[in-house]
Amino acid sequence: MWYVIAYLSLGLVVLAVVWWTQAQRAKARKAKATASRADQPKPAATPTDGNSLQKETLPWMSVLPHARKGDFLRVTLRRVDGRNVFVYLRADQDRSIALLLVRYGSMSKASRTGGEDLGCLRGKQFITMCENNVGALALDVRPDGDAEATLKETPHALLVIHNFHSLREDPSVRLLGMGIGLVAEWIKPWEMPTDFAEASGVADVAYSVQSASSARLDPEGRPGALAPKVFYLLGSGNGEKLDFWFRQPVGLMAITADRETTAETVYGEVLLRRLNKAQNRDAALRWSRDTDSVGPGVILVDYIDGSKGTPAVQDLTSASVVMAFGTRNSSQVDVAHLATQSRVTSNGTEHYVEVRILPAQGFSFLVVWLLE
């Protein structure tokens, strides 16, 4: 019996020695690894330039009403050094976000094809803005990932815009910035920067909207010239007639509406297209050219023949024109009467045009503006 106890004791001693040896080796390896890490250079902290993390969240449920009205989102990030960041966005009803304009100090980037040159963010995508190693403004679109971690890891980071979508949380537009103040506010199209107009893929947002009854007159109380960068609205309490001296091409558009429409919704939903493009207007007035059959010096109406779907031209100087508009059920309604008159002044013969809307169903406004 005693030899059994002896063997057990010997086995326990052997196990204890093996355990102690392994523990010592593990301790030595850990000490060596710690010393090796201590010898390596520590990674440099991402510079924050004295700014701190700022956050703002806009739930998509609160964003969609502004998308329907055509509002723009202006994001302002105040920075310690005074070089603030301004970003202008357009949220669309399909829950995408178009980046239109970015400014940082004296640097800027603007969309030139309607809002997607700088990035169109779909679900889960985010864009990072930073000042790169040569001092230029850099933008980087990511398909997915941790937006906040990316912001913190990016040297000289400015702002992250995240189109956040998740199965566990409500979708939202998340704004993360390195600064001392972050503000997001909705603005109307006419509040967009004026220098954005020519670079944008939408209409010149420096335009204003006025009722036809506010059109200016000359000193004798007769029709004056249309003001540049103004959309004149006829109908729905904005005046039924617009008279003006004709000096340069003019665009006309009839606005359909399924509900009560205001000037604001007309601007937001329709006029932010590129109205100077022929396909986005219903008719245009212009001077005739040498190549036209009537010869130069005649006011012509360019329009699309609804029955043929082809471009057509009518001489407005010799006869009045009724402007028809195709409705959604493919019928044609007469919406406006166009006529021209002339008078002799000390400066020669002046021509002026009268635009008068006709009572019709299917549209709320007629829009008149100078083409540039």
Side-chain angles (χ1 to χ4, degrees), residues 279-298:
Q279 63 268 26
N280 284 331
R281 61 176 182 256
D282 296 312
L285 306 179
R286 64 173 175 86
W287 288 112
S288 60
R289 311 180 185 96
D290 292 337
T291 54
D292 292 311
S293 59
V294 295
V298 176

Side-chain angles (χ1 to χ4, degrees), residues 18-36:
V18 172
W19 174 83
W20 182 84
T21 302
Q22 293 298 326
Q24 293 298 312
R25 289 178 178 175
K27 186 176 181 180
R29 286 195 298 269
K30 184 177 181 180
K32 184 177 180 180
T34 302
S36 176

Side-chain angles (χ1 to χ4, degrees), residues 195-269:
D195 61 351
F196 175 61
E198 294 303 322
S200 71
V202 294
D204 187 339
V205 290
Y207 275 72
S208 63
V209 180
Q210 295 182 17
S211 65
S213 56
S214 69
R216 64 192 182 192
L217 303 176
D218 67 10
E220 298 179 9
R222 294 174 299 194
L226 295 181
K229 298 188 182 299
V230 173
F231 289 122
Y232 294 93
L233 302 186
L234 291 86
S236 298
N238 291 278
E240 306 299 311
K241 187 175 70 169
L242 177 65
D243 296 336
F244 55 91
W245 286 8
F246 185 78
R247 294 176 174 175
Q248 67 185 81
V250 171
L252 300 100
M253 176 189 278
I255 307 300
T256 58
D258 295 327
R259 62 186 187 281
E260 184 178 353
T261 306
T262 65
E264 181 177 289
T265 56
V266 166
Y267 201 111
E269 296 178 6

Side-chain angles (χ1 to χ4, degrees), residues 43-65:
T46 301
T48 62
D49 306 317
N51 297 285
S52 59
L53 180 62
Q54 308 288 315
K55 298 182 180 181
E56 186 74 32
T57 299
L58 305 174
W60 264 106
M61 291 302 294
S62 68
V63 172
L64 286 174

